Amino acid sequence: MKALAAIGLALAIGGCAAPGSVAPPVGRTVIPYTSAGLERVLGQDAAALTQLFGQPDADVREGTARKLQFAGPICVLDAYLYPKDGATPRVTYLDAREPDGSTIDRASCVAALTRRDGGR
């Protein structure tokens, strides 16, 4: 009888968990993408980026698209420039990360890179 009661209690406790609930994954923090703090960079051309950050650490071209990479001790910023209607390519997307690959806020990275002495 005690064994039957123990099994019933175990089933009752097991039924308390929400169906289909899964513990959230542990790992990297997700930082939402917003354009706040990126006004100095989004929509700019390569010359404006070079003036703001100094010479890029990498300049990759693929077709009419271009990626400029700026690195500092705090972060690495990738600026993706695309032409629109045959005009000069301008920044339409940014990606940022810490030197070890960890996530960092893009606006914080822009601020850190604008403060580095003389760019690269």
Side-chain angles (χ1 to χ4, degrees), residues 33-50:
Y33 282 118
T34 67
S35 60
L38 303 176
E39 299 83 8
R40 295 183 290 175
V41 180
L42 289 174
Q44 299 299 318
D45 62 10
L49 293 179
T50 301

Side-chain angles (χ1 to χ4, degrees), residues 14-30:
C16 291
S21 67
V22 178
V26 177
R28 299 172 84 181
T29 302
V30 176

